Amino acid sequence: MKNPEKLLNENEVAFPPAPPERLEAGLDDILCRALFQDPEVAAAISMEIAAGIVL
């Protein structure tokens, strides 16, 4: 299927909402009180736990 968006639009099928694109930032650009979203924290912790189990 070459253009699924066009096909969905023609058949009046709604798109699921897409999350906003993440901006690239350096460590100096992040505020000291910046908040992380729960899924991001959970994914980061899961990766650390998995790495610890493997070792």
Side-chain angles (χ1 to χ4, degrees):
M1 193 176 286
K2 293 182 180 179
N3 195 349
E5 293 177 5
K6 181 179 177 184
L7 180 64
L8 291 173
N9 280 333
E10 289 173 356
N11 292 310
E12 299 179 5
V13 176
F15 290 93
E21 292 186 23
R22 297 185 60 94
L23 300 174
E24 294 293 325
L27 289 176
D28 297 333
D29 299 332
I30 299 172
L31 299 173
C32 62
R33 288 184 239 139
L35 300 177
F36 294 97
Q37 295 180 1
D38 289 341
E40 291 177 286
V41 174
I45 292 171
S46 296
M47 287 188 327
E48 293 293 325
I49 292 171
I53 291 173
V54 170
L55 293 175

